Amino acid sequence: MAKVIAVANQKGGVGKTATAISMGAALVEKGYKVLLVDVDDSGNPSLSKCLGAEAPEASLVDLMLMAFLNRDISKELNHVILTHEEGMDFIAAENKLAGVTDMLSAGTDDYEKKTVLKRIIDEVRKQYDFIILDAAPALNIMSINVLTAADEVIITTQPQGAAEEGIGELISSAGEVRKHSNPNLIVKGLLITMLDARTNYNKSKATEMTDGYTELGMKVFHTRIPRAVAAEECVEKKISILKYDPKSKVTAAYRAFVDEYLRYNK
């Protein structure tokens, strides 16, 4: 039975998609079966593009429409689940996913419209060890669906004040979801990404965030992901940083992060 992980932050540009893909690739390297799901309804489904599915024949949109209408999605899954060359499966999104968000928002049954994604995830949980949801930087009915479908949330953040603003909003959202639609949801921890160790501000901010959130009782992962040009270049190649630059500091950091995550789960 898969562990379902939402990689999220209410703010954009904090390495969510890079973390979802890199975490998936690192888990596959260790022999785990992994499914990535692009749940970005912002009009820019970056995970799908990064994995080479800019215009999928079938996508999460099709599954969510069928699930919303209470139709059997089991056969459609065979068309929607794609396999990346690095071994992880993924469900792509497309720009039309924003329309699904609008449709869910207009729904009258409060619980039903919050659990559409969960019904899809429940169909495939037994087939994987880990399912990673790449969430949009937003707070809407789709992000509520993500938190309702997840077992846990990993919050990614740059060591900057603007990025930090999204952390409290997400923690608050997770608390509301626990009350109403997913009582078992936990915030697994905070991952500091895109750290520029050349600047004193970035280093001091990372330390400040680590100390502050640890004092509040939140797990802050010891591993920090550095900023690097290679992390952006691999997007054009449609592969993860692990394959594009296997000896880079970013690759080493993501592998260390996954090791730390797995130890934390024992």
Side-chain angles (χ1 to χ4, degrees):
M1 185 72 74
K3 176 78 70 176
V4 183
I5 306 162
V7 180
N9 192 318
Q10 307 296 81
K11 298 293 182 180
V14 293
K16 290 188 283 71
T17 298
T19 296
I21 293 174
S22 301
M23 187 178 188
L27 286 167
V28 167
E29 282 186 344
K30 292 181 174 297
Y32 293 106
K33 190 164 177 57
V34 178
L35 174 69
L36 303 175
V37 185
D38 191 341
V39 201
D40 189 341
D41 62 344
S42 67
N44 182 31
S46 53
L47 184 142
S48 302
K49 294 176 181 177
C50 289
L51 297 180
E54 292 91 341
E57 293 183 7
S59 73
L60 182 64
V61 171
D62 301 278
L63 293 179
M64 293 201 74
L65 287 173
M66 293 179 69
F68 182 73
L69 296 171
N70 292 312
R71 294 178 181 170
D72 182 10
I73 65 169
S74 57
K75 293 182 180 179
E76 186 67 18
L77 285 167
N78 296 327
H79 302 292
V80 176
I81 296 178
L82 306 173
T83 301
H84 187 260
E85 63 181 87
E86 293 177 63
M88 54 270 201
D89 287 350
F90 70 101
I91 295 176
E94 53 180 308
N95 293 344
K96 294 178 183 178
L97 191 59
V100 176
T101 300
D102 293 338
M103 180 190 68
L104 295 178
S105 297
T108 55
D109 189 311
D110 190 56
Y111 182 77
E112 284 288 319
K113 67 185 184 182
K114 292 177 180 177
T115 57
V116 176
L117 182 61
K118 182 180 186 302
R119 279 173 262 155
I120 295 168
I121 298 302
D122 285 348
E123 283 284 335
V124 295
R125 284 188 77 133
K126 293 181 180 179
Q127 301 173 33
Y128 296 94
D129 299 305
F130 294 96
I131 297 175
I132 301 173
L133 311 177
D134 183 29
L139 176 57
N140 56 24
I141 190 62
M142 189 64 75
S143 57
I144 299 301
N145 264 261
V146 170
L147 296 176
T148 300
D151 297 314
E152 57 192 38
V153 184
I154 293 175
I155 303 173
T156 61
T157 183
Q158 287 192 56
Q160 295 179 353
E164 189 178 5
E165 291 174 6
I167 298 173
E169 296 171 1
L170 181 54
I171 292 172
S172 178
S173 298
E176 288 300 308
V177 167
R178 273 194 296 271
K179 291 179 185 177
H180 301 291
S181 56
N182 184 4
N184 298 317
L185 178 68
I186 62 171
V187 176
K188 194 68 173 183
L190 182 69
L191 175 66
I192 295 175
T193 62
M194 305 173 76
L195 173 66
D196 189 345
R198 298 170 300 178
T199 69
N200 289 330
Y201 171 75
N202 254 209
K203 290 188 292 185
S204 63
K205 187 63 177 177
T207 299
E208 176 189 319
M209 293 172 73
T210 299
D211 293 344
Y213 285 102
T214 300
E215 287 179 7
L216 292 174
M218 179 185 291
K219 161 71 176 177
V220 180
F221 290 99
H222 175 73
T223 307
R224 297 171 178 178
I225 311 300
R227 182 186 292 275
V229 175
E232 300 172 5
E233 293 174 342
C234 67
V235 172
E236 298 180 8
K237 304 294 184 180
K238 313 303 181 188
I239 55 178
S240 76
I241 185 68
L242 280 72
K243 182 170 184 178
Y244 178 72
D245 194 355
K247 295 183 179 180
S248 72
K249 292 181 179 180
V250 178
T251 293
Y254 272 119
R255 286 179 174 142
F257 160 63
V258 167
D259 286 340
E260 183 180 359
Y261 170 83
L262 292 173
R263 288 196 303 271
Y264 185 39
N265 273 275
K266 289 183 179 179

